Each structure stands twice: as structure tokens, then as C-alpha cells.
Amino acid sequence: MLARTYSTLAAPLTGIFAVSKPSGITSTTILDHLQHVCRLNKTHPLVQGVLSLDGSKRAKRGLVKIGHGGTLDPLARGIVVVGMGTGCKKLHKMSGSSKVYIAEGRLGFSTTTLDCTGSLVDTAPTDHITKDLLLRVLDVFKGEIEQTPPLYSALNMDGKRLYDYAREGIPLPREIPTRKVSIFALDLCSYANETPDPTLKQLGFKVDGHDNTSGSTYEFKSGFVPKSVGDPDLDPKHVPVPTQGGLLFHIRVHCSSGTYIRTLISDIATRLGTVGHMTDLLRVEQSGYKLGGEATLEMSDCEDLHKVNSAIQAGNRIWDKRYEKATFSASE
């Protein structure tokens, strides 16, 4: 029998939990904010406890080891899995885990970035599209598919990020290689003016023509100043997408790691005989860490180290159950 390995639940601020990222900030901002809170409370017993378990030079400078298990674009919202202390060692297993998203797509307009932060590239009619046609097209994308990652992405090519090539106007050395990804489930949540799934409004999506999001600017407390995210409207070359027209829909996607939902929506539009882009994205689950779960905090809760520690303890229990299940499955 394989030996069991469990998290040290009593260790302060040590393990894995999740933060619900608001739109408009980077995933790294979550880590910077947590580090800021820890430094403001450097004499707190929880901070002293996690630092005492780390013999690195970083800890001697008063810095807690913090990392995440997969980024979300600034536009996107939802689950970002965070590791603190020795919990960071487990994050590499998170990067390959499946994820669940709810995405909002808009047909009839395409952009440079494949989402609403980019400049308008093209328009196309949507009058021929019906709900039945969309459902048939969604079925085509279930299972293992091939995707071409978007140009505006953090993937490296010859030591340079793809988005840096795009922003600097430099031609790519070669075409972006396609990759195989798996779509385990793909369901339509709303279509055009039909009555949408009622949970969409609760989750902050646009329904009935109304935007239910609280805005893209999160107000931090305790004097923390995040790094700025570029505003496309300040670019003189930016061409905004028209606010009227097109066809809006929402999908729920359970997919493998490495799947670009922006690309999925663009490819769905192409198969429908039009163009499209993503206008909102919410990650609702990753590796058992879910929105609203006891191991998931809102950004404002990260100001309270006791809430952070409680979420970590809950997160460690989730991790241990998944690890034990995977371990014994492998031993059978």
C-alpha cells in the first residue's frame, strides 16, 4: 500500500486556498496584495508562524512564499488557487487540472484579442443563426479538439511573450502551433433574448440587457496600490466595438488545462458562419475549489489573516481528500 501524505493542518498560513478574483486586476495582484497584508502584520503570530517554517533568505527578509496555480486574464473573474508557505510546492499539480467556466460570447464582431478589451477587426451578420444551429455547433466542440492559442497571450516563442510581439508590431518567427485540448462538457446557458438561466444574474453576467457586474475597478484597502492594467481606450489606434447589435449567448465549459475560452468562442463563431469574441469570463471551479466554497475568499476577506488561515485549513482538507483518492486509485 502506498503511504499517505497529509497536509500539516496546524501550520499557520501554510497550504492552498482560493480567491475570487474580480475583473480588472491581474492574478499576480492577488499575490502582491497578500504579501502586502502580511508585511503590514509582520509581528502577527500567523505571519511569524509561517515565516518560522521557511529557512530561506526570502523569509529572513520578512517575505512569505506565495504563488498561484493558474492565471486568469485581467478581464476574467473567479477562482484563482493560491498557495502559501510550503503549500506552494503543490501548485505545479494545479496547473494541469481541469477547470469549469461560464463565458459570455458576442457574435457579429471580432477583435484583435478575441475579447472585449481588443480593437474591432471585423463584423459579420448573425441573422441566419438560430438556437438550434448554435446547439448543433456546440456539440462539434465536445471531446478532444485542436486550438490555436491567441496572439495576445502569455505563451513564449523564442524567449518572447506572444503579446509582446503583437504590441510591438513585430512579425512572429513562425506560426503559433496548435494544441490538443479536451472539452468534457459544453452547455448553453442563455441565447439571445430568451429567458436566461437565473443563476447568471447572481453571478454578475449581463442578462435582459443589463450589466450586473460591479465594475472593473476593485478598491483595495490598507494602502495597497496594484500595478496598473493598460486601458485600451487610451491607445489612439484603438477601435472600440459598437455597443449595439450582435447576438449574445452564455456557455458553461468544463475543459482541460490549456484551453483558451476566447479561442473557443471565436471558433464557435467561425463554425456558425460569422465572427465573435468573448465579453465576460468567470472561472467557477478548479480542482475542487469552488466559488462560494469554504476554502474560497473574496478579495476583501484577504485583509483578515484569520479568515485567510481558516480558508487555508479548509483548502488543505480539500487537497488531502483529492490526494488520497488519487493515490489509492493509482495503487489499485
Side-chain angles (χ1 to χ4, degrees):
M1 180 182 294
L2 296 179
R4 301 187 188 187
T5 302
Y6 294 99
S7 301
T8 307
L9 293 177
L13 297 180
T14 301
I16 293 178
F17 68 113
V19 175
S20 179
K21 185 186 89 65
S23 179
I25 66 171
T26 66
S27 300
T28 303
T29 296
I30 294 174
L31 312 185
D32 293 341
H33 178 238
L34 283 166
Q35 191 70 258
H36 174 80
V37 172
C38 287
R39 295 190 73 172
L40 280 182
N41 298 275
K42 59 185 178 181
T43 61
H44 194 289
L46 290 173
V47 177
Q48 288 296 306
V50 68
L51 290 175
S52 69
L53 299 172
D54 186 348
S56 68
K57 293 181 180 179
R58 174 192 56 252
K60 292 178 181 178
R61 299 198 307 271
L63 298 176
V64 177
K65 187 175 184 180
I66 308 175
H68 61 64
T71 62
L72 278 176
D73 290 338
L75 169 68
R77 312 177 276 129
I79 292 292
V80 173
V81 177
V82 176
M84 294 185 72
T86 56
C88 292
K89 295 179 181 179
K90 303 171 183 176
L91 291 174
H92 71 281
K93 294 185 179 180
M94 288 288 177
S95 61
S97 60
S98 67
K99 303 172 179 70
V100 179
Y101 297 93
I102 297 177
E104 180 180 272
R106 188 180 178 202
L107 301 174
F109 306 94
S110 64
T111 70
T112 52
T113 58
L114 306 187
D115 64 27
C116 59
T117 67
S119 289
L120 180 67
V121 172
D122 196 10
T123 63
T126 59
D127 296 343
H128 64 286
I129 298 172
T130 63
K131 181 179 180 181
D132 183 62
L133 175 60
L134 178 55
L135 287 170
R136 293 202 306 271
V137 166
L138 293 183
D139 283 339
V140 174
F141 287 89
K142 295 176 182 178
E144 187 177 77
I145 63 173
E146 285 198 351
Q147 276 195 340
T148 300
L151 177 58
Y152 281 83
S153 65
L155 295 178
N156 271 292
M157 182 176 287
D158 294 351
K160 193 179 186 74
R161 301 282 191 184
L162 290 183
Y163 58 64
D164 285 330
Y165 284 104
R167 291 169 182 168
E168 296 170 20
I170 301 173
L172 294 178
R174 56 189 173 279
E175 291 186 358
I176 302 173
T178 60
R179 56 167 64 175
K180 289 184 178 181
V181 298
S182 294
I183 307 297
F184 306 115
L186 179 56
D187 300 304
L188 184 64
C189 300
S190 81
Y191 172 76
N193 295 322
E194 291 189 2
T195 303
D197 184 326
T199 60
L200 290 175
K201 184 175 182 179
Q202 299 170 14
L203 293 172
F205 285 95
K206 293 190 288 287
V207 293
D208 301 325
H210 299 289
D211 189 346
N212 298 289
T213 59
S214 57
S216 60
T217 303
Y218 179 80
E219 296 293 335
F220 287 94
K221 301 176 182 178
S222 66
F224 175 73
V225 180
K227 295 178 181 178
S228 62
V229 177
D231 184 349
D233 291 333
L234 299 179
D235 182 354
K237 297 180 181 179
H238 178 69
V239 181
V241 178
T243 57
Q244 302 297 318
L247 191 156
L248 206 67
F249 69 99
H250 297 84
I251 52 176
R252 183 182 179 92
V253 188
H254 180 198
C255 57
S256 63
S257 177
T259 303
Y260 281 91
I261 306 300
R262 286 180 285 157
T263 299
L264 177 63
I265 289 177
S266 177
D267 290 345
I268 288 170
T270 299
R271 181 68 70 131
L272 286 167
T274 186
V275 296
H277 66 286
M278 186 182 77
T279 50
D280 196 1
L281 180 66
L282 176 69
R283 183 189 287 167
V284 296
E285 182 178 353
Q286 178 180 355
S287 296
Y289 297 84
K290 304 176 182 180
L291 284 179
E294 62 176 345
T296 301
L297 295 180
E298 297 297 324
M299 282 295 301
S300 58
D301 293 330
C302 295
E303 302 275 346
D304 187 329
L305 289 176
H306 288 289
K307 288 184 178 180
V308 173
N309 195 54
S310 294
I312 288 175
Q313 305 313 312
N316 287 343
R317 290 191 290 271
I318 292 173
W319 173 270
D320 289 337
K321 288 180 181 179
R322 293 182 69 88
Y323 182 87
E324 180 181 9
K325 181 178 179 181
T327 298
F328 281 94
S329 294
S331 65
E332 292 176 352

